[in-house]
Amino acid sequence: MQNMDNAQPSLTSLKLFNFFIYGTMVIFTGFFQLYLQDIGMSKIEIGSLMAIAPFVSIFANPFWGFWGDRTANIKRVLLIMMIGTMLFVQIVFQANTYAMIYMTMILFYFFQTPMFSQTNSLILTYIEGTQHKFGSFRLWGSLGWALTAIAAGPVIDRLGSGRISIVFSVMLLVAALFMFTLPSIQKTTASASVSLKGLSRLFLNTYFVWFILLGIMVSIPNTANNTFMSLYILELGGTKQMVGLAIFFSSIFEVVIFILFDRFLKRKINVLVGCLTIVSLLFALRWLLMAEANTPLEVALIQLLHCVTFGGYFYVGVQLTMLFVPTPYRASGQAIYTLSWSGISGVIGGLAGGWMFQTFGAQSMYQTGAMLAIVGAIGFGWMWYNLRKHGYQPLQPDDPAEDEEEEYAAG
């Protein structure tokens, strides 16, 4: 893959595309639960409905990731996904029975859930071979997420939760306009071909497999929090504006984290795994604090830890995936990585989290999340110890041109 035009206008468009695509998704992620509660759904019903997203993503992420690699045209794949997302979000809000909502949500999530992983692949493709860093582009996504969340709260409160689809569609259209201004990406003759057999070799990398499994463990309470934090705030007496403020706090300082990581974090596998150990411990602290919260403002302020927990986990995970996975399978690798924080973990977080919230209360849900994060920290610590002691020996790549990058990653 190669970027055909590294001119500054294209890089600016890439930043603005990230801003609006993340801004679009926070509208749905942060406020759709409130719409479901307004139409009479229970917490268990909401949890089971939101669990459709990660369940569908288990199949959708590899599907779209494979075709992104196969066609070597991530822009076209993203455009198809955006069109499908915009079409089915309209149908979701027109559905008047639970069965109809469930059916349309499956189709909606098939197009929507892989969007983040493919956006990451788009950034990595455009900056490959340049001096630009991933974080300097991804931070625009955090800005879009944070600023849209705090602006959308009062707007949705005034329009009503049933009008979320209108705000969502406008933001998605703006994102599409900026994507159209990006230069084309073409497959070079030196690029390795992509096959299902080659993709299956990723799972022969023991460290990559453990990274995915431990990521699922750490991400279960995070997906439960994403699903039920807004309902927790309302239960404590908060408002939709407070929900927007909490989401704003959760992402605004991710910008600082991405800048610091770009500047100071070493691109070495053992260093990155060590960072995940620390991040997992901070996750445990975050969930313990959430379990002890007594007011909506406390919940909102605790979300400031999101920047160093999920922000750190996301950044480090993207870099590790890039080092573990051969270049021709980059989109597929990012899709598999996405499953570790939104796929299987999302199904468990939505279903088990909803059951625990309704049966035992939010405090028990967050206490259980803290224990899972501690188990994840122990696992990542064990990985770090083994990497320090024995080093990292990557699998022999299919393409000799990949040798140099994998040797660098093993350092």
Side-chain angles (χ1 to χ4, degrees):
M1 304 288 287
Q2 69 177 7
N3 180 3
M4 300 302 293
D5 182 3
N6 287 324
Q8 188 62 35
S10 69
L11 300 182
T12 301
S13 295
L14 185 57
K15 292 174 181 177
L16 292 172
F17 169 75
N18 274 271
F19 181 95
F20 283 99
I21 201 70
Y22 275 81
T24 300
M25 296 311 152
V26 74
I27 292 171
F28 197 86
T29 302
F31 297 96
F32 184 59
Q33 301 92 320
L34 306 182
Y35 166 75
L36 297 177
Q37 184 169 262
D38 286 346
I39 63 175
M41 281 193 171
S42 68
K43 293 180 177 65
I44 292 178
E45 289 172 330
I46 293 172
S48 63
L49 181 59
M50 299 305 288
I52 292 176
F55 177 76
V56 172
S57 76
I58 294 172
F59 308 98
N61 268 291
F63 175 84
W64 291 108
F66 178 78
W67 282 107
D69 289 328
R70 185 83 177 188
T71 63
N73 194 330
I74 300 176
K75 282 178 59 181
R76 181 182 300 170
V77 170
L78 267 169
L79 181 61
I80 295 171
M81 292 164 60
M82 293 168 76
I83 292 172
T85 297
M86 185 176 298
L87 172 64
F88 286 108
V89 78
Q90 309 305 322
I91 302 175
V92 166
F93 284 88
Q94 296 301 318
N96 51 19
T97 65
Y98 286 165
M100 187 65 176
I101 292 176
Y102 275 84
M103 288 300 298
T104 52
M105 288 295 287
I106 290 173
L107 296 171
F108 169 81
Y109 283 132
F110 179 75
F111 290 94
Q112 184 267 328
T113 51
M115 208 167 288
F116 286 151
S117 64
Q118 296 311 300
T119 299
N120 294 339
S121 298
L122 187 72
I123 297 171
L124 293 169
T125 300
Y126 273 102
I127 67 175
E128 185 175 15
T130 73
Q131 296 298 314
H132 297 286
K133 301 292 185 66
F134 173 79
S136 63
F137 290 85
R138 176 54 181 81
L139 65 83
W140 281 81
S142 295
L143 283 172
W145 186 279
L147 297 178
T148 302
I150 199 167
V155 172
I156 292 172
D157 204 20
R158 183 165 184 170
L159 294 177
S161 58
R163 302 292 182 87
I164 291 174
S165 61
I166 297 175
V167 185
F168 180 94
S169 299
V170 170
M171 292 286 291
L172 193 60
L173 279 171
V174 176
L177 290 175
F178 282 112
M179 190 178 70
F180 277 120
T181 67
L182 292 170
S184 61
I185 305 171
Q186 298 180 3
K187 187 175 182 181
T188 65
T189 55
S191 297
S193 61
V194 172
S195 66
L196 290 173
K197 180 180 179 181
L199 180 61
S200 67
R201 294 185 72 253
L202 300 181
F203 296 98
L204 298 178
N205 186 328
T206 305
Y207 281 113
F208 180 66
V209 172
W210 273 108
F211 161 61
I212 294 297
L213 293 176
L214 291 170
I216 293 172
M217 179 79 66
V218 172
S219 297
I220 288 173
N222 188 63
T223 55
N225 178 70
N226 290 342
T227 301
F228 297 106
M229 181 192 68
S230 58
L231 301 183
Y232 188 30
I233 287 175
L234 294 186
E235 187 176 89
L236 292 174
T239 62
K240 291 182 177 66
Q241 287 91 336
M242 186 61 70
V243 172
L245 182 65
I247 299 172
F248 173 80
F249 282 156
S250 73
S251 51
I252 187 60
F253 291 111
E254 280 184 1
V255 173
V256 179
I257 295 299
F258 290 138
I259 292 173
L260 291 175
F261 278 7
D262 267 346
R263 185 166 184 177
F264 298 110
L265 189 62
K266 292 183 179 179
R267 189 171 170 265
K268 304 291 184 181
I269 284 180
N270 64 315
V271 174
L272 295 174
V273 172
C275 286
L276 289 183
T277 306
I278 298 172
V279 165
S280 299
L281 291 172
L282 291 174
F283 262 127
L285 173 63
R286 181 182 172 190
W287 307 139
L288 288 173
L289 290 174
M290 287 288 285
E292 298 298 321
N294 295 310
T295 67
L297 183 58
E298 285 182 296
V299 172
L301 291 173
I302 292 168
Q303 302 316 304
L304 289 169
L305 282 172
H306 184 87
C307 66
V308 293
T309 51
F310 180 74
Y313 174 78
F314 177 89
Y315 183 99
V316 172
V318 169
Q319 302 301 316
L320 269 175
T321 302
M322 186 169 63
L323 297 179
F324 280 135
V325 175
T327 301
Y329 297 93
R330 179 172 288 162
S332 298
Q334 294 297 332
I336 293 169
Y337 162 64
T338 300
L339 295 181
S340 73
W341 56 267
S342 69
I344 298 171
S345 61
V347 175
I348 300 172
L351 295 176
W355 175 75
M356 291 194 70
F357 196 150
Q358 183 152 315
T359 307
F360 302 106
Q363 289 77 15
S364 295
M365 181 184 75
Y366 283 115
Q367 288 167 354
T368 303
M371 289 188 287
L372 290 174
I374 290 172
V375 173
I378 293 171
F380 282 124
W382 173 82
M383 280 183 63
W384 175 83
Y385 173 78
N386 279 277
L387 286 165
R388 288 280 294 177
K389 187 175 181 180
H390 304 294
Y392 174 67
Q393 297 297 326
L395 293 173
Q396 291 298 317
D398 292 330
D399 185 351
E402 297 162 16
D403 281 335
E404 183 178 347
E405 181 174 354
E406 297 222 14
E407 288 174 3
Y408 179 70

